[in-house]
């Protein structure tokens, strides 16, 4: 109980910091919001961008065997019929007869073995019925059945239906993968836990095609690769968990699925699924479209449908994991002996929205300001910098601590040579986590920071 309380306190603080510092806002806030939809502010946008860029670098640019694509959100309805989404992409829903809440049947609390409404506590619930999570829409000016389509509930299907085109133009041999990052939409019955479960979100998905005999081994390979990725963005091994889905709970076509989970303040929850989906998707689309989606193996001169291993991650969930893992409060004592609580986001420098704050010691000294501005111009092409001249230097550091900025550069009187030539053209670099400071030559700054944030 105490743990649940501290988890919810921590979550409240995180949500409040996210709003106060411009990571995440409620969508359409001035109109009362829109349930399950969120807007990312300046810092949140940079955080997500760093995350997606690093995923793309690891999964596509640093590999010979993966290429990228960017599919449209709206697709021919037949895609969703063939993939099975139109008939089976559902969650079980119940209504509370007492307070009229709509609830997900598989997420209800139980009391004395009976399912209970988490809103009003009533046991008077309807029988579960299947609720399709896809948002339906109409393409063009007529709203009849022939115009129906859906907002995609996952990015993967575009990869399967473009498999043939990409195979031909990229001239890849098995095993090879196609990666994509993009928006997905699910009409979740109960969006909750901030950006963890929303109705509009982003996915980072790889479909890694292979020979049937290599599927199981590649499932293990991708699980390890993905764990390495999470460690490399700053999530500790202890906070990551692997849940092997029991065979009876896996999708009928899957020969193995792992969930990579993270210890969020509200409990251990899924970050990513790594699934061996066999040849199910390509087979379905080949059958439904009548177009060949097979692979010709030049060595054995045989045609077959490749199998696929799919690591499928959520951008928003990972962003929340990064913020949760980074959030810290510590009591610090200043030179005058005064104690205060310092809130700091200890992001891995690779993920930090702003890499470096640049501060002239005083804002009314032209030389200090000019030098600080020159440093901003020098660094700006390479990394995200933030110039701040207002307030005492200690306050400026604290503001950047809360934004998770790993380095602060201060231009002081030594920099402009007022205390002699020894320290001219050097600056103080302050480290966010240790609050330690060191002196660096301005001309070495870009390299110093560059090697620490890559
Ligand atoms: P859950 O069981 O939590 O609903 P899922 O198993 O249905 O998730 P997948 O279909 O495997 O999720 O989607 C892959 C990834 O997409 C998830 O691991 C998650 O990171 C992300 N994702 C799925 N649904 C949502 C959502 N509603 N909001 C935010 N991210 C989501």
């Amino acid at each position: 109980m105490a743990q649940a309380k501290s988890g919810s306190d921590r979550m409240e603080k995180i949500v409040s910091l996210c709003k106060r510092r411009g990571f995440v806002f409620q969508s359409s806030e001035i109109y009362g919001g829109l349930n399950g939809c969120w807007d990312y502010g300046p810092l949140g946008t940079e955080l997500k961008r760093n995350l997606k860029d690093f995923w793309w670098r690891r999964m596509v640019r640093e590999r010979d065997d993966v290429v990228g694509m960017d599919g449209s959100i709206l697709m021919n309805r037949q895609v969703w019929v063939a993939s099975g989404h139109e008939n089976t992409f559902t969650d079980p829903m119940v209504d509370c007869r007492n307070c009229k809440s709509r609830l997900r049947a598989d997420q209800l609390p139980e009391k004395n073995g009976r399912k209970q409404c988490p809103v009003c506590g009533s046991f008077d619930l309807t029988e579960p019925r299947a609720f399709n999570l896809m948002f339906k829409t109409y393409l063009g000016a007529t709203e009849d059945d022939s115009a129906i389509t859906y907002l995609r509930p996952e990015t993967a299907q575009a990869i399967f239906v473009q498999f043939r085109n990409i195979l031909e133009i990229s001239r890849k041999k098995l095993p090879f993968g196609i990666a994509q990052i993009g928006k997905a939409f699910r009409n979740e019955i109960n969006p909750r836990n901030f950006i963890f479960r929303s109705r509009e979100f982003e996915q980072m998905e790889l479909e890694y095609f292979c020979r049937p005999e290599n599927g199981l081994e590649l499932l293990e390979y991708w699980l390890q690769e993905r764990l390495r990725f999470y460690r490399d963005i700053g999530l500790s091994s202890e906070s990551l968990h692997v849940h092997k889905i029991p065979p009876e709970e896996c999708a009928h076509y899957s020969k193995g699925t792992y969930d990579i989970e993270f210890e969020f303040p509200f409990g251990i929850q899924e970050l990513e699924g790594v699934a061996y989906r066999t040849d199910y998707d390509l087979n379905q689309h080949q059958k439904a479209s009548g177009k060949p989606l097979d692979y010709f193996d030049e060595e054995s001169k045989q045609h077959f449908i490749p199998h696929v291993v799919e690591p499928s991650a959520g951008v928003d969930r990972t962003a929340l994991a990064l913020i949760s893992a980074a959030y810290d409060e510590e009591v610090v004592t200043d030179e005058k002996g005064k104690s205060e609580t310092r809130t700091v986001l200890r992001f891995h420098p690779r993920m930090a929205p702003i890499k470096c704050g640049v501060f002239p010691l005083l804002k009314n000294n032209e030389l200090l300001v000019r030098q600080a501005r020159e440093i901003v111009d020098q660094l700006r092409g390479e990394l995200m910098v933030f110039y701040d001249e207002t307030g005492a230097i200690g306050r400026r550091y604290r503001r950047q601590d809360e934004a998770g900025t790993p380095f602060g550069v201060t231009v002081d009187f030594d920099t402009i040579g007022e205390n002699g030539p020894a320290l001219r053209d050097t600056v103080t670099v302050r480290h966010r986590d240790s609050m330690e400071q060191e002196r660096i030559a301005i001309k070495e700054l870009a390299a110093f920071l560059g090697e620490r944030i890559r």
Side-chain angles (χ1 to χ4, degrees):
M1 198 61 196
Q3 203 182 0
K5 172 97 177 65
S6 71
S8 68
D9 280 356
R10 188 174 166 80
M11 199 54 209
E12 253 174 49
K13 285 180 179 170
I14 288 170
V15 174
S16 137
L17 176 83
C18 280
K19 176 162 189 199
R20 191 170 75 244
R21 294 310 313 258
F23 281 91
V24 181
F25 306 115
Q26 214 185 356
S27 162
S28 326
E29 190 185 291
I30 60 169
Y31 289 100
L34 185 66
N35 196 4
C37 300
W38 301 93
D39 291 341
Y40 287 80
L43 291 180
T45 306
E46 290 295 330
L47 177 68
K48 279 217 296 183
R49 186 169 290 271
N50 292 339
L51 172 60
K52 290 188 281 184
D53 285 352
F54 187 62
W55 187 91
W56 198 258
R57 176 178 136 196
R58 260 297 151 77
M59 304 295 271
V60 182
R61 301 231 165 108
E62 289 180 357
R63 302 185 65 106
D64 281 334
D65 57 351
V66 176
V67 293
M69 75 164 281
D70 188 5
S72 67
I73 287 173
L74 297 171
M75 299 173 77
N76 190 310
R77 179 182 181 180
Q78 294 315 314
V79 171
W80 306 110
V81 175
S83 66
H85 283 83
E86 189 171 282
N87 276 329
T88 61
F89 194 62
T90 58
D91 274 339
M93 180 171 75
V94 298
D95 287 334
C96 171
R97 290 200 183 90
N98 184 45
C99 72
K100 312 287 176 237
S101 296
R102 295 232 134 139
L103 307 161
R104 218 173 117 169
D106 58 340
Q107 290 177 348
L108 291 176
E110 287 192 23
K111 197 168 171 191
N112 303 328
R114 291 170 71 200
K115 302 226 184 244
Q116 189 179 27
C117 171
V119 182
C120 72
S122 165
F123 294 101
D124 192 6
L125 306 174
T126 60
E127 281 302 305
R129 59 198 185 284
F131 173 74
N132 195 301
L133 299 182
M134 286 197 296
F135 283 98
K136 194 186 267 182
T137 188
Y138 296 91
L139 206 65
T142 40
E143 292 200 356
D144 60 27
D145 275 7
S146 67
I148 288 179
T149 190
Y150 303 96
L151 300 188
R152 67 180 178 199
E154 59 173 37
T155 61
Q157 294 305 320
I159 298 180
F160 295 126
V161 302
Q162 290 298 351
F163 170 76
R164 179 109 231 144
N165 278 333
I166 295 181
L167 177 66
E168 277 167 11
I169 58 87
S170 66
R171 298 182 9 253
K172 293 281 178 212
K173 302 268 174 281
L174 289 180
F176 80 97
I178 305 175
Q180 180 173 211
I181 299 179
K183 288 264 184 177
F185 304 82
R186 296 183 187 178
N187 200 0
E188 297 281 354
I189 299 168
N190 281 140
R192 60 179 176 173
N193 290 331
F194 196 32
I195 51 173
F196 176 82
R197 184 180 301 288
S198 45
R199 289 184 167 134
E200 174 174 343
F201 54 96
E202 269 182 293
Q203 290 186 313
M204 306 181 278
E205 295 196 296
L206 168 70
E207 302 303 326
Y208 195 76
F209 300 99
C210 63
R211 292 166 201 280
E213 59 272 26
N214 300 130
L216 283 173
E217 174 196 331
L218 283 165
L219 174 66
E220 300 303 319
Y221 166 80
W222 279 109
L223 172 66
Q224 294 310 324
E225 272 301 287
R226 298 302 304 143
L227 287 167
R228 183 167 73 94
F229 172 88
Y230 288 112
R231 289 193 298 269
D232 288 349
I233 58 173
L235 304 183
S236 69
S237 303
E238 299 74 51
S239 66
L240 294 165
H241 299 259
V242 174
H243 174 55
K244 191 173 172 49
I245 308 292
E248 64 278 12
E249 287 175 29
C250 283
H252 64 89
Y253 45 77
S254 171
K255 279 204 180 158
T257 300
Y258 291 107
D259 280 352
I260 298 179
E261 301 176 327
F262 174 76
E263 281 184 33
F264 287 96
F266 43 84
I268 297 177
Q269 297 277 342
E270 174 181 335
L271 264 187
E272 160 160 359
V274 186
Y276 173 21
R277 301 175 61 93
T278 65
D279 58 358
Y280 173 77
D281 305 273
L282 287 180
N283 233 326
Q284 289 293 101
H285 289 302
Q286 173 165 293
K287 271 194 265 165
S289 67
K291 301 286 182 330
L293 295 178
D294 58 348
Y295 176 84
F296 178 63
D297 181 28
E298 278 165 19
E299 271 166 45
S300 64
K301 307 282 179 228
Q302 282 189 330
H303 288 266
F304 63 93
I305 299 216
H307 280 213
V308 72
V309 174
E310 175 195 78
S312 167
V315 175
D316 313 76
R317 279 188 193 182
T318 310
L320 182 58
L322 289 171
I323 297 170
S324 312
Y327 187 89
D328 195 16
E329 287 174 2
E330 65 175 8
V331 176
V332 289
T333 312
D334 66 15
E335 317 84 66
K336 295 181 197 127
K338 204 172 134 241
S339 295
E340 65 167 355
T341 302
R342 171 171 97 114
T343 303
V344 50
L345 289 179
R346 300 187 191 276
F347 288 127
H348 189 294
R350 200 175 255 158
M351 291 294 113
I354 301 167
K355 309 299 183 192
C356 177
V358 179
F359 318 112
L361 191 62
L362 299 174
K363 75 169 174 194
N364 52 11
N365 181 301
E366 204 186 313
L367 283 179
L368 293 177
V369 168
R370 192 187 313 144
Q371 179 63 78
R373 291 262 183 214
E374 271 173 28
I375 292 175
V376 168
D377 287 341
Q378 175 200 331
L379 296 178
R380 172 169 274 165
E382 316 276 325
L383 46 101
M384 187 72 188
V385 285
F386 184 81
Y387 175 80
D388 188 4
E389 60 178 23
T390 50
I393 193 73
R395 291 256 72 83
R396 285 183 261 168
Y397 287 152
R398 288 289 185 276
R399 285 202 288 264
Q400 290 310 307
D401 288 345
E402 259 197 350
T405 307
F407 303 102
V409 164
T410 304
V411 173
D412 57 18
F413 291 104
D414 286 343
T415 315
I416 55 175
E418 291 220 343
N419 300 323
L423 293 175
R424 174 188 276 278
D425 294 333
T426 66
V427 288
T428 301
V429 174
R430 179 218 186 232
H431 295 258
R432 173 198 66 202
D433 292 342
S434 62
M435 297 191 286
E436 273 167 17
Q437 307 196 352
E438 61 182 309
R439 209 73 206 175
I440 306 275
I442 293 174
K443 62 177 184 334
E444 282 160 19
L445 254 184
F448 175 91
L449 296 170
E451 72 190 42
R452 285 165 178 77
I453 61 173
R454 219 184 114 64

